[in-house]
Amino acid sequence: MNAVSTQRKDHLDTLAICLLLACCMFWGLQQILVKAIMDEVAPLFQASLRCIGASVLLMVWCRLRGIRLFERDGSLLAGLLTGGLFAAEFACIYLGLQATTASRFTIFLYTAPFWVAALVPLFVKSERLRPVQWLGMACAFVAVAFAMRESMGNGSATGDLLGLAAGALWGLTTVAIKAHNLTRISPEKLLLYQIAATALVLPWLSWAWGETWSLDWSPLAWGSMITQTVIGAFASYLTWMWMLGRYPATRISVFVFLTPLFALLFGTWLLNEAATPTLLAALALVALGIVLVNRK
């Protein structure tokens, strides 16, 4: 992942598919890591520490690789816009999870690919989806909603609205990156705009929300926070930024529908929850959706 994006591709190759599967698997596990320590580490405080730690790791990474982060390249205003959208998205996610169930919230959050599919083609004509690809997108979303339907109760209008807002902000972040051609800068700098903005904004929001700040954690909490920071906010997001510069956003975005299903699978494995036929059918339907969206 050097400072300049490599040759653009109009389809997903084996490398892209493997990286996307790895990212979605971890993001599914990450939901469990976050929920497991909420009693010890307040939600917004978690998000703040993750992004602060990831910002430090990213700057060390760039220093070792000789990647310049602070040279003038005309990306400042657009970069700050994406950073603001990213920070607002995470604020909505962590506040929304306190107002509704995780399963219900997930349905609204994963409307993000529809924003990408609808708006990115306005700026990048080559990413316009054909009807069969829209069908694939719909199949993937219906599969997620179907898999989550058994635990959709106990929600609130506030949580639903925050979920929709988070999904929109996630999608709009990708749209802003494409619309302002931010993939021309290094993926490291593109990521820094987003996690640094979040690291600056969320501690204030955590303080305003009255969250308790403490580092007196159990080994589980320390392990969760280190994993979220190193793999989640640093490695997986850097990989995602790199892929946005190399592959069509509309084609890679559909893969995120796998994330909540991976979360259910990890719940089955780690929390001894039942692997229902519904979950297996949903996985198959998401796979069909991904195939349709990525048809040449």
Side-chain angles (χ1 to χ4, degrees):
M1 298 180 197
N2 290 330
V4 179
S5 296
T6 50
Q7 182 182 0
R8 289 272 307 163
K9 296 190 176 185
D10 60 3
H11 65 280
L12 301 186
D13 53 23
T14 303
L15 174 63
I17 292 171
C18 290
L19 289 174
L20 285 165
L21 287 174
C23 285
C24 291
M25 286 181 68
F26 178 77
W27 293 338
L29 176 62
Q30 186 170 249
Q31 295 184 32
I32 295 175
L33 295 176
V34 171
K35 295 289 285 186
I37 64 170
M38 274 192 175
D39 290 340
E40 288 187 70
V41 190
L44 291 175
F45 188 46
Q46 276 193 57
S48 302
L49 292 180
R50 284 177 55 194
C51 287
I52 292 170
S55 297
V56 173
L57 287 173
L58 183 60
M59 286 188 283
V60 171
W61 165 272
C62 291
R63 180 64 180 269
L64 293 174
R65 294 174 59 86
I67 298 171
R68 296 181 179 179
L69 293 173
F70 303 106
E71 62 182 357
R72 294 185 179 182
D73 53 16
S75 67
L76 179 60
L77 292 179
L80 292 176
L81 171 62
T82 62
L85 290 170
F86 190 84
E89 173 203 335
F90 272 84
C92 287
I93 288 173
Y94 281 91
L95 292 176
L97 283 171
Q98 294 180 311
T100 188
T101 62
S103 297
R104 185 181 181 93
F105 187 85
T106 296
I107 299 300
F108 296 101
L109 174 62
Y110 284 90
T111 56
F114 290 101
W115 289 89
V116 175
L119 297 179
V120 165
L122 298 177
F123 305 97
V124 184
K125 300 299 182 184
S126 62
E127 298 206 21
R128 184 171 295 159
L129 295 183
R130 302 187 305 276
V132 69
Q133 293 173 308
W134 276 107
L135 175 62
M137 190 80 72
C139 284
F141 180 77
V142 168
V144 172
F146 187 65
M148 298 290 185
R149 78 191 193 286
E150 296 174 354
S151 55
M152 284 282 286
N154 302 319
S156 72
T158 300
D160 295 348
L161 290 173
L162 286 170
L164 282 172
L169 289 163
W170 183 2
L172 290 174
T173 301
T174 301
V175 173
I177 289 169
K178 288 292 187 178
H180 294 282
N181 194 26
L182 285 177
T183 53
R184 63 187 166 81
I185 65 176
S186 70
E188 289 85 357
K189 185 168 184 175
L190 180 53
L191 177 59
L192 184 63
Y193 276 126
Q194 295 170 72
I195 58 176
T198 307
L200 290 172
V201 172
L202 287 197
W204 293 101
L205 187 57
S206 173
W207 175 77
W209 218 252
E211 291 186 344
T212 300
W213 293 8
S214 171
L215 297 179
D216 184 18
W217 304 335
S218 68
L220 172 64
W222 277 107
S224 174
M225 287 303 304
I226 291 171
T227 303
Q228 289 184 55
T229 300
V230 177
I231 301 178
F234 172 59
S236 71
Y237 293 166
L238 182 56
T239 299
W240 181 261
M241 295 303 124
W242 178 79
M243 286 192 290
L244 281 178
R246 186 177 175 90
Y247 302 99
T250 48
R251 292 176 184 260
I252 66 174
S253 290
V254 70
F255 272 79
V256 304
F257 286 120
L258 286 171
T259 300
L261 300 185
F262 277 131
L264 290 177
L265 285 175
F266 279 119
T268 300
W269 178 35
L270 298 175
L271 304 178
N272 296 319
E273 298 173 352
T276 64
T278 296
L279 174 57
L280 300 178
L283 281 169
L285 191 54
V286 168
L288 173 62
I290 289 172
V291 170
L292 291 176
V293 170
N294 284 282
R295 286 186 64 182
K296 297 181 182 179

